Amino acid sequence: MDTKTFKVMLVLMISQLIAITCYGQLYMTKTGETSFFSETPLENIAAVNKQVLVILNSANGEIAIKMQQRSFHFPNKLMEEHFNENYMETEKYPAAVFTGKIKEPVDYSKDGNYAVHADGIMDMHGVKQNQSIKGQMVISGGQITLTSDFDVKLADHKIEVPTLVIAKISESIAVKNKFVLVPKKS
């Protein structure tokens, strides 16, 4: 190999290493878990979705979360049917998405516990809303576990509840997330 070719290859390799360092590591899961609970005097409603896609960029704290609404499962099939057809209109609005950025500095190279919050946009039922979500991040052995609890007001996303069942469904739904993220393989 001549000197000129060697120099070109060396520059390319160094630029690739710099690019990898600048962009940081991507962490992800396709099996994140989101659940929600609505408590009213007449009936409690609970559902879980274990097919949530999450991607986190450790270089800049950007996070993206996407879930198919039809992947929520209820203990009662009739509730699931009403959720999909009457409330979330999953034929028209199949997915819910959150895109945001974790605001606190996190050292992803060290094991530790971090109180974090992400500011971003929640796009659900065709309505985009600013959302700030507080959570806990645990880094252990190169794996990130991210948990959060927050409330979603149905009116904020134009999710209408028929007056016939208004006493059975709370105006605000308690949402819980647990995402176990691992380094994305190239």
Side-chain angles (χ1 to χ4, degrees), residues 7-164:
K7 285 181 181 178
V8 170
M9 288 181 63
L10 183 62
V11 168
L12 286 173
M13 287 175 39
I14 290 172
S15 66
Q16 291 230 334
L17 287 173
I18 290 170
I20 290 169
T21 304
C22 290
Y23 290 118
Q25 175 70 51
L26 293 179
Y27 292 85
M28 72 174 296
T29 185
K30 293 179 183 176
T31 58
E33 184 175 308
T34 296
S35 61
F36 67 81
F37 184 75
S38 170
E39 182 176 14
T40 66
L42 295 179
E43 187 171 29
N44 293 336
I45 299 171
V48 65
N49 182 338
K50 295 183 179 185
Q51 298 174 350
V52 181
L53 172 65
V54 182
I55 299 175
L56 170 66
N57 184 335
S58 66
N60 57 18
E62 290 179 350
I63 187 165
I65 303 165
K66 182 178 182 180
M67 66 189 74
Q68 296 300 315
Q69 299 290 33
R70 282 204 173 274
S71 295
F72 277 101
H73 296 291
F74 295 71
N76 176 323
K77 288 294 181 188
L78 186 59
M79 282 183 187
E80 194 166 317
E81 184 180 314
H82 288 170
F83 172 82
N84 287 305
E85 293 175 10
N86 302 339
Y87 305 113
M88 297 308 292
E89 302 173 278
T90 56
E91 289 291 322
K92 189 174 181 180
Y93 310 109
V97 176
F98 175 82
T99 53
K101 186 169 184 173
I102 295 173
K103 295 301 187 179
E104 292 74 21
V106 175
D107 186 347
Y108 293 91
S109 67
K110 291 183 185 175
D111 288 358
N113 297 328
Y114 301 88
V116 294
H117 85 278
D119 289 337
I121 303 291
M122 175 86 68
D123 184 351
M124 182 170 48
H125 198 248
V127 178
K128 295 180 181 180
Q129 286 282 328
N130 290 327
Q131 185 84 37
S132 185
I133 300 173
K134 293 181 181 181
Q136 190 70 27
M137 180 184 290
V138 177
I139 300 173
S140 179
Q143 177 176 289
I144 298 171
T145 302
L146 192 56
T147 56
S148 65
D149 296 356
F150 62 98
D151 292 334
V152 173
K153 292 182 180 176
L154 298 180
D156 288 350
H157 292 279
K158 298 183 181 174
I159 299 169
E160 296 177 10
V161 178
T163 51
L164 185 63

